[in-house]
Amino acid sequence: NKEAQQVVPLLQKVLQLYASQYLLNFSSQAEMALLQAENEALEAAGELPSSGPAKEALEKLLTCDEEDWDSQLRVFAEGDSCSQEGLLAELQKKKELIILGMKGGMYEQRVLVEFLQ
């Protein structure tokens, strides 16, 4: 039981690293690129709010360790570059891209959505 308790944090860290790397690079995949193009078209038409600063903020969060998330979020909150609503909207768009762009029920999909939550 003690060994299992030591393995859980390690597996959690591995899944977090996998999810962050996947999310940073997922736009290169064909399915995701199509869905992202649809979102960009909606953005250009004014039906989806522009999220340049929020997108950059999310990418910054994905590149740093979990231990640094709180401090990074404080920096975003103190600055004017990214609003909380913008970041939450960007997270929601990423989740939708994953849910719509991947086969439902895949463990990979569940790991990625859980990571974004």
Side-chain angles (χ1 to χ4, degrees):
N1 192 18
K2 186 176 181 180
E3 291 175 4
Q5 290 176 347
Q6 292 173 341
V7 172
V8 170
L10 178 64
L11 288 175
Q12 187 176 28
K13 185 67 172 180
V14 167
L15 290 173
Q16 288 172 345
L17 289 170
Y18 168 78
S20 65
Q21 288 304 306
Y22 184 92
L23 292 168
L24 285 169
N25 299 314
F26 85 109
S27 61
S28 64
Q29 298 177 3
E31 294 172 348
M32 298 300 197
L34 289 173
L35 291 170
Q36 199 162 11
E38 289 175 16
N39 267 356
E40 288 170 2
L42 287 172
E43 236 176 61
E47 296 176 27
L48 196 63
S50 178
S51 59
K55 193 174 193 175
E56 290 174 19
L58 181 58
E59 286 177 6
K60 242 183 198 180
L61 283 173
L62 291 174
T63 58
C64 66
D65 282 335
E66 177 190 7
E67 296 85 27
D68 300 330
W69 288 349
D70 287 337
S71 61
Q72 193 65 50
L73 288 170
R74 274 190 224 102
V75 169
F76 296 149
E78 292 169 359
D80 294 333
S81 63
C82 175
S83 68
Q84 178 182 355
E85 294 81 17
L87 186 57
L88 290 174
E90 190 62 29
L91 282 168
Q92 183 63 32
K93 284 196 305 186
K94 291 272 191 207
K95 283 194 275 188
E96 289 172 6
L97 287 172
I98 291 165
I99 291 168
L100 296 174
M102 298 177 84
K103 291 181 184 177
M106 291 177 54
Y107 188 72
E108 180 180 36
Q109 182 187 46
R110 288 188 284 175
V111 167
L112 294 169
V113 171
E114 179 66 27
F115 178 75
L116 289 172
Q117 291 178 356

